[in-house]
Amino acid sequence: MTKKAVVMKGDGIGPEVVDSMLKVLKECNLQSELIHCEVGSEQWERNGFKEKSYIPDKTMEALDDADACFKGPTTTIPKPDAPKSVAVTLRQKFELYSNIRPIKTFKRLTPNRNLDFVCFREATEGLYSGIEVQISDDAAIAIRQITRKNCRRFILSGFQWAKKYNLKKMTGITKRNILKKTDGIFWEELENCQKEFPNMELEEIYIDNMSQQLVINPEQFNNSVLLSTNLFMDIISELASGIVGSIGLIYSANMGDSFAMFEAAHGSAPSIAGQNKANPTATILAGAWMAEYLGESDIKNAIFSATEQVINENKATTSDIGGSAGTTQMTDAIVVYAKQKLRR
Ligand code: NAD
């Protein structure tokens, strides 16, 4: 049966980069059905700021009926009474507990760096639980909720990834010397899960040390899975993205037991929106990963290989990675190579 995915273009550069992704998938003859829906703060503003959510009911209904979704970046207005982030809402609603960001360098962009590891971020709780309390005019607290059940399902998915891709080491990032209870549970569950994967090595690194290790010697993490709680890994994976060369290159997936959401790691980049400047790579690679999830893995392989070729050749790349091409030209170059690779 044909699989179904909802596609939401989002805000800022979202429509440009998602159009790129759609063009590549169409030219590669994707068979899965794509259903287009609105989401984000721009449609919320257009509709008169009336709704409590950036996700219209119609979109939610389509999501309930789909196998997966693609979400372009969305703007989250940082005001207490504005709706909750689209990404956080969908991760929590569909229990997409593992936000996965592979970190891999491209030869041309970082000739002296060779990175290949994966970041696993718990995506349903932690400091993103949404529990904030205003105690007085001058004080507020945020609750960092950590539960054994949610740690366990997330950590197991990291171990399963390691097993699938033959990685031998798991690195748990905590601040257990200070956050003794919350990170205590997280670390205990890492140790408990390791018992089920006895061949896997497990190490713990505190978040502050991890940050400097990533700057001075990131290669030490090659062939390993880095795992952490929600906010810690959001920050660590962005730090790692900086080493790769541009946040515009980092693709990601949010996986649960029966649904997945694919997206770029970057945001809506409002300052370059509508200028044909955004790097479409992260969105195109996330779309290719979605094609694999929907059962069309030949498309994923062709697109990944084509994108790498375009970036390393540097004839049609965007300015964030040293080129002078626009979003659309880079997309067209990826299309040409991806189609060639599919014909072989
Ligand atoms: P951002 O990722 O949008 O931008 C950070 C920097 O990276 C900017 O200089 C931007 O121009 C650049 N950049 C981002 N994507 C790029 C691309 N594809 N090509 C070239 N350059 C690119 O982060 P921000 O400025 O912190 O956030 C802007 C908005 O995005 C906020 O409203 C934030 O809430 C939202 N956001 C959404 C998501 C998501 O939808 N998952 C993730 C992060 C931020």
Side-chain angles (χ1 to χ4, degrees):
M1 211 171 71
T2 312
K3 296 258 177 101
K4 266 197 270 189
V6 167
V7 175
M8 301 162 285
K9 294 187 180 178
D11 302 318
I13 58 171
E16 297 163 71
V17 289
V18 175
D19 279 344
S20 293
M21 183 271 287
L22 290 171
K23 180 166 190 183
V24 176
L25 291 184
K26 184 166 181 269
E27 294 281 346
C28 289
N29 203 18
L30 183 88
Q31 295 299 300
S32 305
E33 185 187 352
L34 300 181
I35 299 140
H36 296 273
C37 290
E38 284 202 311
V39 87
S41 70
E42 289 171 16
Q43 63 84 34
W44 180 72
E45 285 186 42
R46 272 198 308 276
N47 293 325
F49 307 95
K50 284 194 305 284
E51 306 300 328
K52 287 204 178 74
S53 168
Y54 290 134
I55 310 169
D57 291 347
K58 249 173 84 178
T59 301
M60 230 13 147
E61 282 161 27
L63 287 165
D64 277 330
D65 193 38
D67 298 289
C69 72
F70 191 95
K71 187 193 71 60
T74 48
T75 300
T76 306
I77 299 167
K79 289 191 180 153
D81 53 350
K84 184 163 149 182
S85 142
V86 173
V88 173
T89 306
L90 293 179
R91 288 173 189 142
Q92 291 175 347
K93 174 173 161 53
F94 290 99
E95 298 197 57
L96 307 175
Y97 45 82
S98 294
N99 179 205
I100 308 165
R101 293 180 181 177
I103 299 293
K104 199 168 186 317
T105 44
F106 294 88
K107 233 184 276 155
R108 178 184 70 80
L109 298 179
T110 55
N112 301 320
R113 281 271 176 244
N114 183 16
L115 300 189
D116 191 358
F117 57 83
V118 59
C119 293
F120 264 66
R121 165 188 178 195
E122 200 294 322
T124 60
E125 57 179 7
L127 262 174
Y128 288 65
S129 304
I131 314 166
E132 278 196 301
V133 185
Q134 187 89 38
I135 303 171
S136 70
D137 283 350
D138 302 318
I141 52 172
I143 308 271
R144 182 177 193 253
Q145 178 182 302
I146 301 288
T147 61
R148 203 172 286 287
K149 170 180 155 269
N150 290 351
C151 288
R152 184 174 166 76
R153 63 183 182 177
F154 159 69
I155 292 165
L156 278 177
S157 75
F159 273 100
Q160 277 148 6
W161 176 285
K163 193 172 169 199
K164 183 172 173 189
Y165 293 104
N166 203 22
L167 308 175
K168 293 281 173 258
K169 197 163 125 195
M170 312 294 286
T171 301
I173 302 158
T174 73
K175 188 68 182 167
R176 196 160 55 101
N177 50 339
I178 305 298
L179 299 166
K180 293 183 175 137
K181 291 192 174 17
T182 46
D183 271 346
I185 290 179
F186 183 69
W187 176 249
E188 269 172 30
E189 282 312 306
L190 272 162
E191 288 186 316
N192 286 338
C193 291
Q194 189 204 13
K195 291 181 192 138
E196 296 170 37
F197 296 83
N199 295 331
M200 222 75 87
E201 195 187 324
L202 173 64
E203 69 168 355
E204 180 180 30
I205 299 195
Y206 292 153
I207 178 84
D208 39 354
N209 182 27
M210 182 68 196
S211 309
Q212 65 128 348
Q213 293 299 328
L214 265 181
V215 173
I216 60 176
N217 180 16
E219 278 82 5
Q220 67 183 292
F221 301 109
N222 278 349
N223 299 314
S224 60
V225 178
L226 312 185
L227 301 108
S228 196
T229 45
N230 211 335
L231 181 63
F232 283 176
M233 189 48 89
D234 192 15
I235 296 168
I236 286 299
S237 62
E238 281 234 7
L239 175 49
S241 314
I243 308 169
V244 176
S246 168
I247 185 72
L249 300 168
I250 310 298
Y251 58 100
S252 98
N254 301 269
M255 301 272 193
D257 291 330
S258 55
F259 192 73
M261 173 169 78
F262 297 84
E263 60 179 343
H266 61 74
S268 56
S271 66
I272 56 166
Q275 299 167 41
N276 198 31
K277 278 187 184 162
N279 188 335
T281 302
T283 300
I284 290 172
L285 295 182
W289 193 356
M290 182 173 77
E292 178 186 62
Y293 183 83
L294 296 169
E296 303 188 53
S297 50
D298 52 334
I299 293 184
K300 179 199 173 188
N301 297 337
I303 297 173
F304 267 65
S305 167
T307 306
E308 190 167 358
Q309 194 173 342
V310 168
I311 291 173
N312 285 333
E313 279 180 4
N314 201 24
K315 289 185 201 147
T317 54
T318 46
S319 59
D320 60 312
I321 50 170
S324 56
T327 311
T328 46
Q329 289 149 290
M330 186 165 177
T331 304
D332 290 343
I334 293 170
V335 165
V336 170
Y337 287 142
K339 285 172 82 170
Q340 279 172 10
K341 286 169 202 293
L342 276 171
R343 271 200 296 271
R344 262 184 227 144

